[in-house]
Amino acid sequence: MATKSKNIGHNPWVKAAAVFLVIVFVTAFGVSLMYMAENELMLYAPKEESFFDSYQYEHMVRDKVNLLEKLIYEYKSRDNVQNGGTVSSEDLEDKIRTEFNNSRSRFSENFSDYDRLTEYQREELYEKFKADRSEEIRQSMIQAELFQFENILRRLNEKEGLYYYAHLGESTFSNTDDSNAETFRAMPASFIRRGFEEVINPPFSDEEGVTYEIRISSGPYNYNSEAQIYLGFTEEYFSPFIAEWSEGKDFTDNIIPLWILCGVGTLLLLIYLTIFAGRREKNSPIHMNYFDRIYMDVNACLTAGIAALCIMAAYGLIFELTNAVWRYPAAAAVLAVGVLYFLMFYQTVVKRLKTHSVLRHTLIVQVLYWFVKKFWDMMNRLFTGNAARLKVVLLTLAVLVLTAVSVVFFPITILLIIGILYVIVKITDEYLDIKKATEEIREGNVDYEIDLKRKHLFKPLAEDINSMKNGLENAVNDMLKSEKMKTELVTNVSHDIRTPLTSILNYSDLLRKEGVQSGNAEKYVDIIYGKAQRLKVLTDDLFEVSKATSGNLTVHLDKIEVFSLIEQMLGEHDDRIKEHHLDFIVSKDAEKYYVQADGRHFSRVFENIFSNIFKYALDHSRVYIDLKEREGKTMIEVKNISKYPLNIDADTLMQRFTRGDSARSTEGSGLGLAIASSLMKIQKGELRLKIDGDLFKVIIEIDSYRET
């Protein structure tokens, strides 16, 4: 059952339903807020049972008391205001100083000249301004105070049903002839202050429901025990406020449970969407859709922009199209689009948090990474690359610094121009020298060298061009050597094929002339058969060296013991060893030498080496075979004395169809060592030759076998 519930959590339809409910909850909350704003509704505390328990009632009484306090404590009477009784000398001085600072440019021929005046001159200028404008400024302040005085009276008398009486000393303000406190107390709501006593009816109550009467203080004014302030409110005055409060109270009682439902539901659904975001099943990798691939910072900006547009569009629909009956459904649809886009972005944020890729998948980080990488590559190329590039950069920086300095010191500018011209000439000379060298080499003069003494910026390039001369010479020599070897190869092949073929033709002609009944017929047939076998061996060897060189042979590397293989070879060729009176001496440092090689191809290498020994080694001499191992390689060295003068280098002797006897009178194709060398290469080994007088050495190097 638990598994089934987990599968339900990953179900895409369940996720879609959760998203839909979140959209409904958030949209309902947004539309209700706009409804409140349009109808100017306020939220009221749940414990308010009537308008007289509300803050609006207390605020209304406070506001009227504050207005009456201002009248009796500050303004006192209309005549007092008109005669400047509310304008103090300090206020007047501050106002004059402010006006002077704002308009002092008018008392100077040039505004900037004021800053050059002395303190005495400035004060003298201020006194002149004060004498000319003080009365004008004072009258403007009196008019402003009179406007405020009239505004207070207007606010107290703008609505029917409010009666007031305020008295202090000679100041009295009232809109009724009855100044009896009991008359005011008898009204539905009243405020009475006499001396130190304040009575409010109905009384104020706090959030705990505890009533209190004395709450209103004298504010910024010094409290006077003789002050009297009476306020009386009729039902006519309160009725619109009570109706507004009742409407707001009903809306509050209905909307608060809806908001709680929307808030709790949205929170629970967001928790669900957070847990299962990005996973299609339990323990599956986080799945990223096309929306998730948008850079996080770009997506955040898009989300904020779309949300703001949706809110403004919904606001415009409700507050601008006041006569459209469909404005609330349309506003809800617009808000739903914004909520949907926000939820998509929220899901992306959760997925990126789960994969730890929030910062890595931002455009800002990607751009910064690109800039840092490019800057690092540039610095790396600058300090580790060609020295010429570093010189150019340093030279450019030096020019920039000198240019900045030359702005202040003009003589340096002349020197800078001369220096730049000199550097340009030097760089041009170096370039022309290198250009001439390349032209000479192109024309075939490979012996041409660039003088490096005067080279600075392009010195590495000049050195490379001089070194290139040696490479060209080596390439020409290799090409000539290759052409010579090709010619010799054709000559040798032609000789080795033509010799047995000529014998076959000659003896076949003799056999044809003398007939098969001749006494020499059997001898001729034997010679023809032998020469044919010689041609077969030659063609087989040629085919094999071709395959070995091209790499078409199959290789199976395995564990081979070298000493046992040599002993086997010596046993198989014992008759030929005795025939040539050769003494094989094998030396080794270890009992066994294991190598990584192909058994068949490795045996063929030794077959060719032994065959070469029997053909060209001096009879009645010794053949040395040394085995050793070093640095993971097994070394096999075979040495013998040649019966023919070795007036040929080792590289030439390694070539195909090359023999130890220049007369080519011995048997063989001259391919044995070439085949052996090619077979060693395909086994990841090497075969080398060394010639020291008549001493002939074959050196084999191959990887030792290592257990894996």
Side-chain angles (χ1 to χ4, degrees), residues 417-427:
I417 294 173
I418 296 173
I420 292 175
L421 292 175
Y422 176 78
V423 171
I424 291 174
V425 171
K426 290 288 292 181
I427 293 175

Side-chain angles (χ1 to χ4, degrees), residues 467-532:
S467 300
M468 187 173 64
K469 177 195 68 172
N470 299 328
L472 289 174
E473 290 179 350
N474 293 333
V476 171
N477 293 335
D478 290 343
M479 182 178 66
L480 294 175
K481 183 178 179 181
S482 176
E483 290 296 328
K484 181 180 178 182
M485 291 175 59
K486 287 179 182 179
T487 303
E488 292 178 352
L489 176 63
V490 173
T491 303
N492 293 337
V493 171
S494 299
H495 178 273
D496 288 347
I497 293 177
R498 186 175 64 249
T499 300
L501 183 60
T502 302
S503 298
I504 292 173
L505 291 173
N506 290 337
Y507 284 102
S508 298
D509 185 58
L510 289 173
L511 184 62
R512 184 176 60 82
K513 290 178 179 180
E514 296 180 7
V516 294
Q517 302 299 326
S518 170
N520 295 324
E522 185 176 353
K523 176 184 175 181
Y524 295 160
V525 170
D526 289 339
I527 293 174
I528 292 172
Y529 180 76
K531 297 301 180 181

